């Protein structure tokens, strides 16, 4: 264990990430699987972003928020997977203390922004379906930018608070993290000082960034569902539900895995399960989001075809 002296205490200056498997024969297989997944995720999300930028029909608030979500997905998977691929290649599982905190900060910054942005997207659908006459004024370009900016500001504040609070903890051994990236619950288990304040901060953050947005999303879609059911045309109802179904699917995956991961602090036995939840959060969800949003959306499909074939959009 790499230790540095600090007064009378020994301080851990690096951690060891056990990763997904300690079996050497599985390392090349895992490397290949996650490399392909990473490339597919980058390709899918950047394609969505290119389609939104080049297709005039997609220059609407809903797709502006979707483009930002794609950027967050690219960032989220890039925080964890490239470092994991490097460890597969080198068999060096150590990560410096500072790099661990940086990874933690970036992950919570991006994941937190995801929480707020999904809430903003639900509010956008509520205004579009329930308040169509005032939609253009209540979701103007300036308001769209402000909503994204506020989401990022709130997320930055939380990520910085969690990281600074964690940096005050003492780590004097063991230094082995049974995970493939640095996250709060696993680091709390390794601390040799009290984590009560840190767990309280995480609980408050979970309420503010998890429970509150989920309640707002639920209320928004309750109003949307009531409004859609009042539409007499079956085709109209189908179109309205199709624009919301993709978002609800993404919300279910994101919040389902997030709640399961952070509401079980102190559970040592659940570490291996946490790896699966972490893969869903940081790898599978960013990879699936482009598929979910484009699968039943003819506008996005048409824009993607024009991106790949080089054809110009119709005037």
């Amino acid at each position: 264990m790499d230790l540095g002296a600090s007064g009378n205490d020994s301080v851990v200056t690096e951690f060891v990430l056990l990763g997904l498997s300690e079996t050497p024969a599985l390392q090349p297989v895992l490397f290949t699987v996650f490399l392909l997944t990473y490339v597919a995720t980058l390709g899918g999300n950047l394609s969505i972003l290119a389609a939104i930028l080049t297709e005039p029909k997609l220059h609407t608030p809903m797709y502006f928020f979707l483009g930002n979500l794609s950027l967050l997905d690219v960032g989220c998977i890039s925080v964890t997977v490239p470092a994991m691929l490097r460890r597969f290649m080198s068999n060096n599982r150590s990560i410096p203390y500072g790099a661990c905190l940086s990874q933690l900060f970036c992950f919570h910054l991006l994941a937190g922004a995801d929480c707020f942005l999904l809430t903003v997207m639900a509010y956008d659908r509520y205004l579009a379906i329930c308040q169509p006459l005032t939609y253009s004024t209540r979701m103007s370009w300036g308001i769209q930018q402000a909503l994204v900016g506020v989401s990022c500001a709130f997320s930055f504040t939380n990520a910085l608070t969690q990281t600074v609070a964690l940096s005050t903890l003492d780590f004097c051994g063991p230094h082995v993290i049974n995970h493939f990236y640095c996250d709060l619950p696993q680091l709390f288990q390794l601390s040799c000082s009290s984590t009560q304040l840190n767990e309280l901060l995480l609980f408050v953050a979970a309420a503010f960034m998890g429970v509150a947005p989920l309640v707002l999303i639920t209320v928004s879609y309750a109003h949307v569902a009531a409004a859609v059911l009042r539409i007499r045309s079956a085709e109209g109802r189908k179109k309205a539900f199709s624009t919301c179904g993709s978002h609800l699917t993404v919300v279910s995956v994101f919040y389902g895995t997030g709640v399961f991961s952070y509401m079980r602090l102190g559970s040592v036995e659940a570490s291996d399960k946490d790896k699966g939840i972490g893969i869903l959060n940081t790898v599978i969800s960013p990879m699936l989001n482009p598929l979910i949003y484009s699968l039943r959306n003819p506008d996005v499909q048409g824009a993607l075809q024009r991106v790949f074939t080089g054809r110009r959009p119709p005037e």
Side-chain angles (χ1 to χ4, degrees):
M1 178 167 60
D2 185 12
L3 299 173
S6 177
N8 296 325
D9 298 325
S10 293
V11 180
V12 171
T13 58
E14 69 174 26
F15 297 101
V16 174
L17 293 167
L18 291 184
L20 297 177
S21 173
E22 297 183 69
T23 306
L26 284 178
Q27 304 302 311
V29 176
L30 291 173
F31 175 84
T32 303
V33 169
F34 281 95
L35 176 62
L36 293 175
T37 301
Y38 183 60
V39 171
T41 302
L42 289 184
N45 283 285
L46 293 178
S47 295
I48 290 286
L49 191 60
I52 292 171
L53 290 173
T54 59
E55 177 63 54
K57 288 175 65 177
L58 302 184
H59 293 173
T60 64
M62 181 176 73
Y63 292 109
F64 171 71
F65 297 133
L66 178 57
N68 280 275
L69 185 66
S70 292
L71 284 177
L72 291 175
D73 285 340
V74 169
C76 193
I77 195 171
S78 296
V79 166
T80 56
V81 171
M84 181 170 60
L85 294 175
R86 178 185 58 80
R87 287 191 290 273
F88 283 144
M89 290 290 290
S90 66
N91 291 321
N92 179 10
R93 300 180 181 181
S94 64
I95 180 172
Y97 176 82
C100 187
L101 260 62
S102 297
Q103 186 181 59
L104 175 80
F105 171 80
C106 292
F107 175 72
H108 280 268
L109 171 64
L110 295 164
D114 249 336
C115 286
F116 290 120
L117 192 57
L118 289 172
T119 309
V120 168
M121 293 173 76
Y123 175 64
D124 172 73
R125 290 300 83 204
Y126 162 75
L127 289 181
I129 294 174
C130 300
Q131 308 287 336
L133 297 180
T134 59
Y135 177 68
S136 59
T137 55
R138 297 173 71 175
M139 195 54 75
S140 65
W141 173 238
I143 291 176
Q144 294 171 48
Q145 293 176 304
L147 288 170
V148 172
V150 169
S151 297
C152 293
F154 280 149
S155 182
F156 175 83
T157 302
N158 172 68
L160 185 63
T161 300
Q162 299 293 344
T163 306
V164 170
L166 184 74
S167 69
T168 65
L169 298 180
D170 295 322
F171 296 93
C172 39
H175 69 323
V176 177
I177 301 175
N178 188 16
H179 214 321
F180 63 94
Y181 66 95
C182 294
D183 202 6
L184 292 171
Q186 290 74 30
L187 289 169
F188 288 169
Q189 294 173 6
L190 299 182
S191 175
C192 52
S193 53
S194 174
T195 61
Q196 286 186 344
L197 175 60
N198 301 77
E199 293 186 12
L200 178 61
L201 285 173
L202 184 56
F203 180 81
V204 172
F208 178 64
M209 302 179 63
V211 177
L214 188 57
V215 169
L216 292 174
I217 291 171
T218 303
V219 171
S220 295
Y221 275 109
H223 283 88
V224 167
V228 170
L229 291 175
R230 288 196 295 268
I231 299 176
R232 295 183 179 181
S233 165
E235 185 64 28
R237 286 197 300 269
K238 181 180 177 181
K239 183 177 180 180
F241 274 127
S242 68
T243 62
C244 303
S246 300
H247 183 245
L248 283 174
T249 303
V250 171
V251 167
S252 300
V253 173
F254 183 84
Y255 277 98
T257 55
V259 168
F260 189 83
S261 181
Y262 291 104
M263 289 302 178
R264 299 178 299 104
L265 291 177
S267 176
V268 179
E269 295 78 6
S271 293
D272 288 333
K273 293 180 181 179
D274 288 340
K275 295 179 186 180
I277 299 300
I279 290 173
L280 283 173
N281 263 331
T282 65
V283 181
I284 303 300
S285 181
M287 182 182 68
L288 290 180
N289 284 353
L291 293 174
I292 293 171
Y293 279 108
S294 63
L295 199 59
R296 298 176 59 187
N297 191 317
D299 291 335
V300 174
Q301 290 173 1
L304 287 173
Q305 288 176 1
R306 283 184 280 276
V307 167
F308 292 132
T309 59
R311 289 183 299 165
R312 297 183 62 181
E315 298 295 335

